Amino acid sequence: MKIAIAGSGALGCGFGYMMKKGGHDVTLMDYWEDHIQAVQKNGLTVDVNGETGNVQLPMDKPENIEDTFDTVFIFTKSMGLRAMLEAIEHTLSNDTKIVCLLNGLGHAQTLAEYVLEENVIMGTTVWTAGIDEPGITHLMGQGPVEIQEADPSGKEATLEIVEMMQDVGLNGVYSDNVHFTTWRKACVNGTMNALCALLDANIQELFESSQSQSLITKIITEFSRAAEVENVELDIDEMVTYVTEISESVGAHYPSMHQDITNHRPTEIDFLNGKVAEMSEEYGFDAENCALITELIHAKEDVLGIK
Ligand code: NAD
């Protein structure tokens, strides 16, 4: 399969590496100059669950790529999605499938502005990844990557991509309700990410605090009201249990929003709690906790001079 990764940070490099190792034709697209130069010079080095390897593959800014691709995986941060879709337009044919695995809400609507619905594949993943230095990243976990086509006509292509991800060890799974999976993942990120960032705590510390169950229940209650607008039913108790079980499996890990704040990078808050707060105004339900959390994270970004 001829594949491009649009946004080749931590997760993009991890996925690109696995697909290249699995024998596919992979091109990385990104804007981080030092990272591009490192990969062009030394190849991409990725540690996957403690085993390190190196692959040689092309990497450049989208405007310097002339090819078109069968499949493009988008791995920008949420706030970079729109600009990336504009930048890669010339690399898409009428049949190119776009796979979007970003955390956060509202991405399907953004994709619909740029890509035919029959070419859109949405999903979530619980692989975790990080950047050690330009050209060197790590990928941890076992997945899965759950995906589903936005339009029924895209099912065959989606199944092919699932099979490709299984073959290369990314643990691809076909989802028959990716909309629910996306909201469930948003509940995980909307609770752990924002609270750990605000409290300067890791996930274990957050869940050991006597306030954690109350805070998490309040946030999930608001997410469930927003999900209902999109006809997704989230059982609050079930979601609290799900998030708590995930916290037990990840332990003393700092979620990505904490890492963003620590590294003075903008957060994805507007696409998580901020999206729920925005929907509450539009559809008239209460989400005062999500609104306050969003304001607090933005205040923290301002205090740290994060643009
Ligand atoms: P990332 O921050 O590693 O990369 C996103 C973009 O930022 C890339 O274009 C990258 O090159 C650029 N970037 C990263 N560090 C930079 C630096 N120091 N200077 C300049 N540019 C830099 O993002 P990610 O972790 O790969 O996440 C991509 C999407 O996947 C997000 O929506 C995220 O929430 C989601 N996600 C991430 C993980 C994870 O464990 N990393 C897991 C599940 C979902």
Side-chain angles (χ1 to χ4, degrees):
M1 200 177 280
K2 194 168 172 191
I3 300 163
I5 307 288
S8 303
L11 211 51
C13 282
F15 273 55
Y17 171 83
M18 296 291 277
M19 294 172 194
K20 180 70 188 179
K21 285 270 281 187
H24 296 280
D25 175 350
V26 180
T27 298
L28 303 180
M29 299 195 268
D30 205 66
Y31 283 102
W32 184 8
E33 197 63 61
D34 291 350
H35 191 36
I36 295 172
Q37 280 179 18
V39 172
Q40 286 179 348
K41 192 165 166 237
N42 306 317
L44 171 66
T45 300
V46 182
D47 178 306
V48 184
N49 291 323
E51 199 167 307
T52 303
N54 177 276
V55 289
Q56 303 292 322
L57 76 185
M59 180 169 191
D60 217 326
K61 294 182 179 153
E63 48 268 38
N64 296 335
I65 307 278
E66 286 173 3
D67 291 359
T68 56
F69 300 92
D70 301 320
T71 309
V72 176
F73 283 79
I74 310 258
F75 279 121
T76 58
K77 289 284 198 179
S78 297
M79 45 284 191
L81 173 62
R82 187 176 289 279
M84 185 57 85
L85 287 169
E86 282 167 12
I88 63 171
E89 211 179 338
H90 65 285
T91 71
L92 310 179
S93 73
N94 289 340
D95 300 320
T96 305
K97 303 298 169 207
I98 303 268
V99 184
C100 176
L101 298 170
L102 308 191
N103 282 332
L105 301 164
H107 301 320
Q109 289 88 330
T110 306
L111 279 156
E113 290 177 38
Y114 296 90
V115 187
L116 290 174
E117 202 180 18
E118 66 213 41
N119 288 334
V120 173
I121 297 172
M122 299 302 294
T124 58
T125 183
V126 294
W127 282 99
T128 57
I131 300 176
D132 303 312
E133 55 184 270
I136 305 181
T137 72
H138 58 269
L139 182 69
M140 291 180 300
Q142 285 124 28
V145 189
E146 296 184 54
I147 59 171
Q148 185 183 28
E149 65 286 349
D151 181 89
S153 64
K155 182 160 183 178
E156 200 180 318
T158 306
L159 289 171
E160 269 175 42
I161 294 168
V162 166
E163 195 181 331
M164 180 278 288
M165 290 196 292
Q166 280 173 3
D167 289 346
V168 304
L170 279 167
N171 194 4
V173 171
Y174 182 78
S175 167
D176 53 18
N177 195 355
V178 86
H179 212 39
F180 170 77
T181 323
T182 303
W183 276 95
R184 188 178 59 181
K185 183 88 197 289
C187 284
V188 175
N189 297 125
T191 50
M192 293 181 189
N193 275 26
L195 293 177
C196 286
L198 288 171
L199 297 171
D200 190 12
N202 64 42
I203 292 168
Q204 187 178 330
E205 289 165 340
L206 168 67
F207 279 79
E208 281 170 1
S209 98
S210 56
Q211 309 300 317
S212 71
Q213 290 296 306
S214 155
L215 286 167
I216 283 156
T217 306
K218 284 179 187 155
I219 295 169
I220 287 179
T221 302
E222 295 179 358
F223 270 69
S224 77
R225 291 179 188 138
E228 207 178 310
V229 172
E230 295 195 357
N231 298 318
V232 175
E233 198 185 321
L234 296 181
D235 181 283
I236 295 165
D237 292 340
E238 235 175 68
M239 284 304 120
V240 172
T241 306
Y242 179 76
V243 171
T244 307
E245 280 172 4
I246 290 199
S247 79
E248 285 159 6
S249 67
V250 288
H253 169 76
Y254 287 94
S256 60
M257 198 175 291
H258 184 283
Q259 292 172 32
D260 289 335
I261 292 285
T262 308
N263 296 323
H264 288 203
R265 299 186 65 216
T267 71
E268 294 181 299
I269 194 72
D270 286 340
F271 300 86
L272 292 161
N273 310 68
K275 188 72 188 173
V276 171
E278 187 189 304
M279 287 175 75
S280 76
E281 284 182 18
E282 193 175 346
Y283 296 100
F285 61 87
D286 176 35
E288 60 180 9
N289 295 294
C290 281
L292 179 63
I293 284 167
T294 305
E295 276 192 81
L296 286 168
I297 291 286
H298 283 316
K300 183 91 180 163
E301 290 170 336
D302 286 353
V303 166
L304 295 170
I306 301 171
K307 297 258 183 301

